[in-house]
Amino acid sequence: MSKIIEIENLTKTFGKVVGVDDISLSVEQGEFVTLLGPSGCGKSTLLRMIGGFEEPTSGRILLDGQDVTHVPPSKRAVNMVFQDYALFPHLSVGKNVGYGLRVAGMPRREVREKALEALALVGLEDRFDAAPHMLSGGQRQRVALARAIVRRPKVLLLDEPLSALDANLREQMQVELKALHTKMGLTFILVTHDQTEALTMSDRIVVMRGGKIVQMGSPVDLYERPATSYVAGFIGSTNQFRSVVATGPTGPQVQCFGQPISAPAGVAPGQEALFGFRPEKALVQFGEEGGGPDTLRGSVADILYHGQSVRLMIDLGAGEVLVDLPMSGSDGMPQVGDAVSLRVGADKIMVLADEVAA
Amino acid sequence: MKKRLTLLAQTSFSALCAVSIASGAMAGELNILTWEGYADPSVIEPFTAATGCEVSATYVGSNDDFAPKLAAGGGVFDIVTPSIDSTYALIEAGFVQPIDVSRVPAFKDIYEQFRTADGILKDGKVYGVPYAWGAIPFMYRKDKFDTPPTSIKALWDPALEGRISLWDDKSALYVAARLNGNMNIYELSDAELAAAVDKLVEQRPLVRKYWATAGELVDLYKSDEVWISNTWGGYQSGLLAAENIEVVEFIPEEGAEGWMDSNMIVADTPNEECAYQFLNMAISAQGQEGVFKVNGYSSTNPVAAKEFMSDSEFSALHQDDPAYLDSLLLWENLGDRLPVYTNAWNSVKSQ
Amino acid sequence: MNGALRLKRALVLSPPLLWTFLFMFVPYAILLVYSFWQQKYPTFVPAFQFGNYVQIFTDPQYFRVILRTLKIAFFVSLGAALVAYPYAYFLVFRVRKPGLRLMLYMAVVAPLWVSYLLRAYTWKTILGTTGILNSFLMSTGILSEPSSVFLYNQTAMIVTLIYVFIPFMVMPIYAVLEKIPHSLKEASADLGVGRVRTFLSVTLPLSIPGIVAGFTMTFCLTFGDFIAPFLVGGPDGQMIANVIASQFGASLNWPLGAALALVMLMIVLSIITVSDKFERLGQGRFA
Ligand SMILES: Nc1ncnc2c1ncn2[C@@H]1O[C@H](COP(=O)(O)OP(=O)(O)O)[C@@H](O)[C@H]1O
Ligand SMILES: [Mg+2]
């Protein structure tokens, strides 16, 4: 695999506001990379610098080995799907898709063929002559996509492409985007603030905060081994607790809201650290008698029904944790107040680095 | 769209007709529709002090303003002062009422030509009291001419291209007709009128601008745009003299029109008493001096004029020269030919 | 709907309806009636005949003046568009500071609060033989003696009217440019299209509704103007509104004046209808 994009120490400031702060990142050819973070963390700015819409304050961008830091967008072999789709309202769907090719001087006929081909990829070849305002939101999104891929860019940039769609459509489009990526073999860089979206589609997720990269890795990496409390909280839910590692009867122990459980590997007695476990990793048992090692005891404080599972808030006395209970058939619904025991094995506990003030 | 239409409609409509709003005049209050200078405070203030009649004046820009203002109805005005070409139409339209000359003692002192002019008489009744008169002579910038012009032909001289102005009025047709040798300027046949139109069309490339108001002509001379034109005798030349621009008035070989303005009482005025007081004051020495001082116009009442004019002024204003008066082609009512003349003039400007 | 409610609704609606009726339809109805009347010395008399319309369509002077007025209105609108468009474009896309932008916008629009006459008069002092323009050209040696070509002709009228009506062109163009999403230009650049082509293929087509609106307004305002001919026009400056005014004034021929006014109204209405069709073409695009 070769590097299609290399970003070196890229910084962008708007007056006193730092949009992107000294970021270095490379993207492999054909990779699906997602920039993930809350609003204002600098994702769009980074993406727009790759597209050429913002001039970096310092740093370099290489595209396929070429320095394109100061190359205008019209001369970069990357294309963008804009958040508001940016379809030309005065042009038909087909003309929108063929716009760039036509202006570049490609014969009309060829333009039409290419546009139809691109529209076919997104399943809209029959709307070639429609006006953009006659399309639904999802269809417009697809047209924007077709327009961005018709020139076979080296990199496709997508800025929150799904955020304007309703939930059902969004899930469907996630699948389609992923399929398109696989089919075309293009490099995708997608910006989102939605962790589910990131987890579903990406080969690699880059988590950002305050203009910096906090952590990057595959979805599994990030989910299973979030480096910081911030990442752990942003991707999925995590029950977090701070504790000093002590030596217990069976080995090192940590206190989870006042109840001892075995400490995970990698920490030594006497050390203080932030720990966490995912709600679905706890083994839930009802009744007074459940127990054994590494078990937390408490009672059900609240119930959130999710269909395929139930999320329970468990009152541990000194604090509350969330756990997921799969709903497999005939199990009765738990009731608030039910006594419960949670088994959290040491292998399920994550050690989270302290947050660097960002 | 609707809003835009409304706006447009209002704009164009207000352009089409000026509607004056009627308001009842109080007793002892005179509303006069007249020319600028004819209701000067120097005359009106003593008048009000002496009679208790308050005067408020509305000024016209041309003789064409009288009939439409009266036709629009409302009876706002008590007195109007149209020129002799416009008086008779007002009489025939019933806009003005007969005057009891026994209530205007000085009427007999007025020049006979004026007090017996056709334009103010109908069925043996008098409808107007002549107030001021003058000529429509021509005028040129003294410093621009080596040989003083003596003929209307000067206004057709290509050497003066871009320096010529004519009054934006049917009077332009009178000028052109005289140049064509048609001295019956108020009774031109269609063919003669067409010839006058042709003459004016021929002249048009030489014309800098047709002047519409007295002030405009003064400005045109002042800003060096115009060197020769017709004028309201005595008036604009006086204003220009005050600006130190030396102009000379002349009566061309082809003659000049003469005009005379009369005060008329609007039909059914509720302020008849004040109206008669005003009529009397206007032809008194006080009133005649006013128009002489302010506008530089000649007096219709030579008896009164003698009281305030020096001998040289008296003769300069041709007050002692009946032949001069006779030589002027005193404006006449065009009757049903008026629209024909107006359209002929419009057609010149449409070329 | 019960009676009381209906009455209430009628009462609420009646003032605006009455207003519209009084100020829109009554004047036109009066004009229409007058247009069939007949001039008869010393004024005019009620009649029902088409003589006034016949006169308008047979005497070539009316056709000539209408044509001249249309021509001047066209050039005023064209000139105003050519000046207003770059200005509005500059304000919307080049001036970054909102405060400065507002100030520059108001600089064009604020003169609307100044009397039309005053603004038109200004041009007289600029264009005249002893005016600012001539003084400037002479002081720079471009002219050796003052030129009279700047004032009292149709060009002077066009220049003056462009100046007077330019706010009506700047406002709709500004509004339409401001509405064009920035992302469209970025998208165009993104698709490999340079600035000039982006302007021609995206910005300009999308600003057509604003240009059409401004064009229509300046056109109709000029078409009805009767002051510029008087102030800065030359002997060939007479426009249709002047002719109408002279029918209502000098020749006391209200019937002919009314007929002319209605012909003028028809022309204006057809222009508005056509431009409305045009504008509608561009509607619903940002939906
Ligand atoms: N054109 C701009 N001018 C000033 N500040 C900007 C501009 N664009 C972005 N910013 C600022 O830069 C930071 C990052 O913005 P952005 O990249 O849009 O964030 P995100 O896309 O992650 O929500 C924010 O604080 C934002 O206010
Ligand atoms: Mg963003």
Side-chain angles (χ1 to χ4, degrees):
Chain A
M1 282 219 274
S2 66
K3 288 181 168 43
I4 189 83
I5 288 208
E6 288 156 275
I7 291 168
E8 298 170 0
N9 306 99
L10 204 60
T11 296
K12 174 71 183 176
T13 57
F14 303 99
K16 285 203 178 108
V17 179
V18 181
V20 165
D21 191 359
D22 193 26
I23 280 185
S24 297
L25 170 72
S26 42
V27 176
E28 303 290 334
Q29 162 68 44
E31 203 180 2
F32 194 137
V33 172
T34 299
L35 306 179
L36 176 67
S39 173
C41 72
K43 315 175 292 284
S44 291
T45 305
L46 178 56
L47 194 75
R48 289 169 55 78
M49 284 194 284
I50 301 171
F53 304 112
E54 302 283 358
E55 184 86 353
T57 309
S58 63
R60 282 207 317 162
I61 302 170
L62 303 187
L63 173 64
D64 208 6
Q66 305 277 319
D67 186 342
V68 296
T69 316
H70 303 293
V71 173
S74 55
K75 304 235 160 63
R76 292 191 193 192
V78 301
N79 279 123
M80 176 117 145
V81 175
F82 291 84
Q83 192 167 359
D84 63 354
Y85 313 145
L87 298 182
F88 304 121
H90 58 302
L91 300 179
S92 67
V93 165
K95 291 247 167 67
N96 258 283
V97 176
Y99 175 82
L101 302 176
R102 184 76 201 111
V103 173
M106 186 184 280
R108 221 171 265 280
R109 215 189 200 175
E110 216 173 312
V111 171
R112 195 185 159 82
E113 269 167 31
K114 297 251 180 200
L116 274 172
E117 208 176 291
L119 281 169
L121 275 172
V122 297
L124 277 180
E125 64 270 47
D126 56 334
R127 303 310 305 269
F128 191 90
D129 291 311
H133 72 263
M134 292 161 62
L135 303 182
S136 70
Q139 287 174 322
R140 282 182 221 183
Q141 160 73 74
R142 282 171 226 234
V143 175
L145 203 54
R147 187 177 67 178
I149 57 177
V150 74
R151 303 195 321 150
R152 302 266 155 187
K154 288 183 176 159
V155 179
L156 183 67
L157 308 173
L158 305 103
D159 192 356
E160 311 241 10
L162 309 180
S163 63
L165 305 179
D166 57 48
N168 278 339
L169 202 53
R170 199 176 321 165
E171 266 177 43
Q172 185 190 335
M173 280 306 293
Q174 287 170 12
V175 176
E176 285 187 28
L177 264 183
K178 183 74 195 155
L180 193 69
H181 173 251
T182 313
K183 187 146 90 186
M184 295 192 67
L186 284 180
T187 310
F188 279 33
I189 303 180
L190 179 138
V191 157
T192 183
H193 62 267
D194 179 343
Q195 43 112 359
T196 334
E197 212 168 285
L199 290 173
T200 319
M201 297 188 285
S202 324
D203 294 329
R204 187 153 57 110
I205 298 174
V206 177
V207 183
M208 291 178 63
R209 186 186 197 186
K212 286 184 181 301
I213 295 175
V214 188
Q215 186 181 2
M216 56 188 165
S218 69
V220 176
D221 266 352
L222 287 184
Y223 192 82
E224 299 294 338
R225 287 172 290 282
T228 68
S229 124
Y230 171 72
V231 177
F234 200 78
I235 298 177
S237 318
T238 302
N239 297 304
Q240 299 193 13
F241 55 94
R242 182 167 286 282
S243 174
V244 178
V245 183
T247 312
T250 54
Q253 278 188 332
V254 291
Q255 299 285 320
C256 177
F257 299 109
Q259 304 192 29
I261 44 178
S262 300
V267 285
Q271 189 183 345
E272 185 184 326
L274 193 60
F275 300 92
F277 65 92
R278 301 282 188 189
E280 73 279 8
K281 305 278 180 172
L283 193 62
V284 183
Q285 276 182 300
F286 288 98
E288 302 287 342
E289 69 283 355
D294 302 336
T295 300
L296 304 167
R297 298 208 54 87
S299 60
V300 177
D302 205 352
I303 304 166
L304 292 166
Y305 183 64
H306 279 305
Q308 77 276 28
S309 68
V310 176
R311 175 155 291 188
L312 302 175
M313 183 184 279
I314 307 298
D315 186 353
L316 293 179
E320 283 151 349
V321 293
L322 297 173
V323 293
D324 285 345
L325 184 65
M327 294 303 285
S328 44
S330 54
D331 300 355
M333 277 290 280
Q335 301 291 313
V336 171
D338 284 357
V340 77
S341 63
L342 313 173
R343 190 177 145 73
V344 183
D347 57 333
K348 306 285 191 277
I349 297 178
M350 309 178 287
V351 185
L352 304 170
D354 269 318
E355 205 63 45
V356 191
Chain B
M1 154 102 184
K2 187 166 163 204
K3 207 165 178 181
R4 192 171 354 134
L5 181 64
T6 319
L7 188 73
L8 267 164
Q10 286 168 346
T11 321
S12 50
F13 189 72
S14 63
L16 300 181
C17 58
V19 179
S20 40
I21 295 160
S23 68
M26 295 192 318
E29 187 194 313
L30 276 182
N31 280 299
I32 317 184
L33 184 63
T34 192
W35 301 90
E36 217 156 330
Y38 283 15
D40 196 69
S42 65
V43 174
I44 295 303
E45 277 166 20
F47 172 71
T48 303
T51 62
C53 299
E54 298 282 343
V55 174
S56 63
T58 307
Y59 299 115
V60 292
S62 93
N63 273 306
D64 307 328
D65 291 348
F66 289 104
K69 286 233 162 81
L70 297 179
V76 195
F77 298 107
D78 305 299
I79 287 183
V80 292
T81 320
S83 300
I84 193 67
D85 60 340
S86 308
T87 45
Y88 200 71
L90 300 187
I91 299 172
E92 290 218 302
F95 294 156
V96 289
Q97 67 182 37
I99 289 165
D100 177 2
V101 287
S102 69
R103 295 172 72 179
V104 188
F107 190 75
K108 61 176 188 329
D109 298 334
I110 293 172
Y111 287 112
E112 197 186 344
Q113 290 104 310
F114 294 152
R115 90 184 124 82
T116 60
D118 286 344
I120 58 168
L121 298 177
K122 191 187 173 207
D123 301 334
K125 288 188 191 131
V126 174
Y127 282 81
V129 178
Y131 173 57
W133 66 280
I136 306 293
F138 288 77
M139 171 167 93
Y140 61 89
R141 275 272 294 257
K142 194 171 181 215
D143 54 336
K144 305 291 185 188
F145 288 81
D146 296 332
T147 24
T150 57
S151 162
I152 290 177
K153 288 197 191 82
L155 283 92
W156 267 258
D157 181 358
L160 289 172
E161 178 182 351
R163 300 298 182 184
I164 294 163
S165 186
L166 260 192
W167 185 13
D168 185 354
D169 185 87
K170 54 189 178 300
S171 164
L173 294 163
Y174 304 155
V175 173
R178 296 208 297 284
L179 188 61
N180 285 339
N182 303 126
M183 298 308 280
N184 57 333
I185 54 177
Y186 307 119
E187 283 142 10
L188 294 172
S189 66
D190 284 349
E192 289 165 339
L193 212 44
V197 167
D198 288 346
K199 256 288 173 274
L200 289 166
V201 170
E202 175 195 326
Q203 180 206 31
R204 221 193 47 179
L206 310 177
V207 172
R208 182 75 172 132
K209 177 145 182 57
Y210 297 123
W211 60 273
T213 66
E216 187 186 6
L217 185 61
V218 168
D219 280 345
L220 285 169
Y221 274 92
K222 244 168 60 181
S223 54
D224 201 25
E225 305 281 359
V226 162
W227 294 348
I228 187 164
S229 69
N230 53 359
T231 179
W232 297 341
Y235 189 33
Q236 287 117 330
S237 59
L239 294 172
L240 284 165
E243 303 270 354
N244 289 321
I245 292 169
E246 205 178 342
V247 288
V248 182
E249 286 183 5
F250 70 104
I251 302 280
E253 293 156 11
E254 297 86 352
E257 301 136 51
W259 58 269
M260 185 271 286
D261 295 345
S262 305
N263 280 311
M264 306 178 95
I265 301 180
V266 175
D268 304 322
T269 168
N271 301 307
E272 204 176 88
E273 193 46 46
C274 276
Y276 273 98
Q277 302 254 33
F278 188 84
L279 257 46
N280 278 309
M281 181 278 291
I283 54 168
S284 70
Q286 181 209 351
Q288 296 279 288
E289 182 175 8
V291 71
F292 164 66
K293 287 266 167 66
V294 176
N295 299 71
Y297 294 153
S298 304
S299 298
T300 52
N301 180 354
V303 179
K306 267 267 184 283
E307 290 180 34
F308 59 85
M309 284 188 194
S310 67
D311 286 349
S312 63
E313 283 169 342
F314 199 73
S315 66
L317 286 154
H318 307 284
Q319 302 286 170
D320 56 354
D321 185 3
Y324 175 81
L325 227 176
D326 285 340
S327 77
L328 296 180
L329 300 160
L330 194 64
W331 281 350
E332 283 175 23
N333 172 33
L334 296 175
D336 56 5
R337 295 287 282 168
L338 173 65
V340 181
Y341 273 65
T342 311
N343 286 350
W345 176 231
N346 271 340
S347 116
V348 171
K349 292 191 288 177
S350 78
Q351 300 278 330
Chain C
M1 210 194 304
N2 67 41
L5 189 62
R6 195 174 304 180
L7 182 69
K8 213 168 174 183
R9 196 164 288 189
L11 283 177
V12 168
L13 280 178
S14 60
L17 282 180
L18 197 69
W19 191 94
T20 316
F21 181 73
L22 269 182
F23 290 92
M24 292 258 330
F25 296 109
V26 170
Y28 289 118
I30 293 174
L31 273 187
L32 186 68
V33 170
Y34 267 133
S35 75
F36 298 118
W37 285 24
Q38 198 161 22
Q39 161 131 62
K40 187 163 180 299
Y41 176 78
T43 52
F44 36 86
V45 291
F48 186 77
Q49 47 91 38
F50 295 89
N52 300 308
Y53 291 102
V54 170
Q55 191 177 347
I56 293 170
F57 291 108
T58 52
D59 185 340
Q61 68 161 294
Y62 301 107
F63 181 70
R64 281 198 300 260
V65 173
I66 287 174
L67 209 65
R68 171 193 293 165
T69 312
L70 288 172
K71 180 187 86 180
I72 289 176
F74 174 77
F75 281 115
V76 168
S77 308
L78 184 71
L82 289 178
V83 176
Y85 196 95
Y87 189 77
Y89 186 94
F90 173 78
L91 288 195
V92 173
F93 297 121
R94 290 281 172 275
V95 180
R96 293 263 173 266
K97 290 202 178 81
L100 181 64
R101 185 186 308 171
L102 184 69
M103 215 182 72
L104 290 173
Y105 180 75
M106 288 316 286
V108 172
V109 174
L112 279 180
W113 277 270
V114 178
S115 133
Y116 167 108
L117 232 90
L118 201 70
R119 282 180 292 149
Y121 206 85
T122 314
W123 279 91
K124 224 169 142 153
T125 62
I126 295 173
L127 301 172
T129 303
T130 54
I132 297 165
L133 183 58
N134 264 313
S135 313
F136 171 76
L137 290 176
M138 275 161 50
S139 72
T140 52
I142 296 171
L143 286 182
S144 58
E145 57 182 45
S147 165
S148 59
V149 301
F150 306 124
L151 190 56
Y152 300 133
N153 50 41
Q154 292 186 2
T155 313
M157 281 166 59
I158 290 170
V159 169
T160 302
L161 287 171
I162 288 175
Y163 169 74
V164 169
F165 294 138
I166 198 120
F168 295 99
M169 191 62 95
V170 171
M171 288 189 286
I173 294 179
Y174 183 92
V176 83
L177 287 179
E178 214 182 22
K179 264 199 330 204
I180 297 177
H182 185 58
S183 61
L184 291 187
K185 287 196 197 183
E186 289 186 343
S188 179
D190 189 58
L191 294 165
V193 179
R195 281 178 176 214
V196 177
R197 280 305 296 262
T198 295
F199 172 76
L200 293 176
S201 317
V202 177
T203 314
L204 190 59
L206 288 178
S207 41
I208 281 173
I211 300 173
V212 170
F215 205 93
T216 311
M217 268 194 273
T218 44
F219 194 97
C220 292
L221 286 169
T222 304
F223 196 73
D225 187 80
F226 59 102
I227 295 186
F230 169 72
L231 277 183
V232 295
D236 61 353
Q238 191 192 40
M239 300 213 290
I240 186 65
N242 300 97
V243 176
I244 294 174
S246 84
Q247 296 304 334
F248 278 93
S251 59
L252 209 64
N253 192 348
W254 291 20
L256 180 59
L260 275 169
L262 286 174
V263 169
M264 183 170 156
L265 183 72
M266 286 306 136
I267 294 173
V268 165
L269 284 182
S270 35
I271 288 165
I272 291 175
T273 310
V274 170
S275 94
D276 206 54
K277 288 247 165 65
F278 242 95
E279 264 178 73
R280 211 158 283 182
L281 283 179
Q283 264 166 17
R285 280 175 171 167
F286 298 107

